[in-house]
Amino acid sequence: MDTNKVWLVTGASKGLGLALVKQLIAQGYRVAGTSRSLGSLEKVIEKSDRFLPLEMDILNETDVRKGVEATVKAFGKIDVLVNNAGYGQLGTLEELSDKEARENFDANVFGSLNVIRQVMPLMRTQKSGHIMNVASIGGLLGAFPGWGVYCATKFAVAGFTEALAAEVSEFGIAATVVYPGYFRTNFLESGSLNLPQNSIQEYTTARALEVKHKEEIAGNQPGNPELAAEAFIALGNMQNPPVHFVMGSDAFGLAEAKINMLRTDMATHEALSKSTDY
């Protein structure tokens, strides 16, 4: 492992971001971690000369630029960026307001793009780097009633990561979209998961899935955050990292189901699909 690499991790005060930062520090890496609140970082991560806590609003480009500059000033470079900041938004497409939907896209999509824009000039100059964008298995399979907008944000993350990988390969830079399944973090708690402000009770399937996440899935997720951190570090040390990485056995099974579904639909309607050519 190359512990000389410098990592920048957004959303580092909880969840997978926190597990990753702690593991990086323990293994001797230098890492900058961001949160909207500096105090939230200082409460959960001990002071270290290998850790730079940054208060950063990823929706504010000036804030992001200052955070990137502070990281370079402290550590000289950025080798690996992990765009992890974001939150979950429950609610069917009908019941979520325009404001709720746009705010979820702002945090999960446009915030990451802000960070990428500020880090890319540095990585292009270095002619090296690796950008990991954390999506969700919900960014590969959207068939979760009441999670439509959230899944759409994560599909967007997958889409721009594919494009990014193609755009930056000529500079020796890699890009990976990570699709985690359910990990035993605080993601399903308030503060990380928003409920719809105006729910429509007729959506019984969506309501039942909300209850299932609160009462059955929360606290029983199969994924271990510590092992997820190890997987992120393994990706960061690969010479040829994948563009797509499915994280967790549950996510792997759902990804296989999506692939099979797509193959079935394509095979069933192959003749109609190909009937549209001149």
Side-chain angles (χ1 to χ4, degrees):
M1 294 188 298
D2 183 3
T3 56
N4 288 319
K5 286 186 176 180
V6 174
W7 291 60
L8 171 60
V9 181
T10 68
S13 63
K14 56 186 176 180
L16 294 181
L18 175 59
L20 174 57
V21 168
K22 285 186 172 181
Q23 191 65 254
L24 286 167
I25 296 170
Q27 293 188 20
Y29 290 90
R30 290 168 293 167
V31 55
T34 83
S35 175
R36 288 173 294 178
S37 165
L38 194 62
S40 64
L41 286 171
E42 294 172 341
K43 286 180 182 177
V44 293
I45 303 175
E46 293 183 5
K47 288 185 178 180
S48 167
D49 58 3
R50 296 191 300 274
F51 176 59
L52 176 66
L54 295 170
E55 185 168 291
M56 180 192 290
D57 177 2
I58 60 172
L59 302 185
N60 185 315
E61 287 189 283
T62 300
D63 227 26
V64 175
R65 184 179 68 251
K66 288 179 179 178
V68 170
E69 290 172 349
T71 303
V72 175
K73 183 178 180 180
F75 300 134
K77 58 178 181 173
I78 297 172
D79 296 296
V80 184
L81 163 65
V82 179
N83 272 314
N84 171 70
Y87 68 92
Q89 176 64 66
L90 282 176
T92 65
L93 297 180
E94 179 186 356
E95 62 197 359
L96 285 183
S97 66
D98 180 72
K99 181 176 182 292
E100 288 170 297
R102 287 179 184 274
E103 286 179 349
N104 202 211
F105 267 88
D106 281 344
N108 294 358
V109 178
F110 295 106
S112 292
L113 291 174
N114 284 340
V115 182
I116 290 169
R117 272 193 297 271
Q118 296 301 322
V119 168
M120 270 306 305
L122 175 66
M123 289 188 172
R124 278 194 294 106
T125 300
Q126 294 173 174
K127 295 205 176 297
S128 66
H130 187 183
I131 296 173
M132 286 186 253
N133 297 316
V134 181
S136 161
I137 191 57
L140 189 61
L141 178 68
F144 301 100
W147 290 81
V149 165
Y150 174 75
C151 287
T153 68
K154 296 305 186 178
F155 267 77
V157 171
F160 75 63
T161 304
E162 279 194 358
L164 181 66
E167 292 168 355
V168 303
S169 61
E170 65 178 298
F171 306 114
I173 301 167
T176 299
V177 54
V178 179
Y179 303 94
Y182 289 104
F183 280 81
R184 206 165 297 179
T185 68
N186 54 6
F187 176 74
L188 295 179
E189 299 174 7
S190 59
S192 295
L193 182 64
N194 289 355
L195 297 175
Q197 294 177 4
N198 296 294
S199 62
I200 301 172
Q201 294 308 307
E202 286 87 344
Y203 282 104
T204 56
T205 305
R207 297 289 85 78
L209 196 57
E210 283 181 19
V211 172
K212 183 176 181 178
H213 277 83
K214 289 180 182 178
E215 298 183 359
E216 297 179 29
I217 297 176
N220 295 303
Q221 300 96 320
N224 183 331
E226 304 303 322
L227 297 180
E230 293 284 2
F232 275 111
I233 294 171
L235 288 169
N237 281 298
M238 288 182 184
Q239 288 190 339
N240 297 295
V243 175
H244 299 272
F245 181 74
V246 176
M247 183 180 282
S249 60
D250 57 340
F252 203 90
L254 289 168
E256 287 185 320
K258 172 61 180 280
I259 292 168
N260 291 334
M261 185 191 311
L262 184 59
R263 283 178 174 162
T264 298
D265 284 349
M266 289 177 66
T268 302
H269 303 288
E270 181 177 0
L272 182 60
S273 294
K274 294 179 178 178
S275 71
T276 58
D277 297 343
Y278 279 106

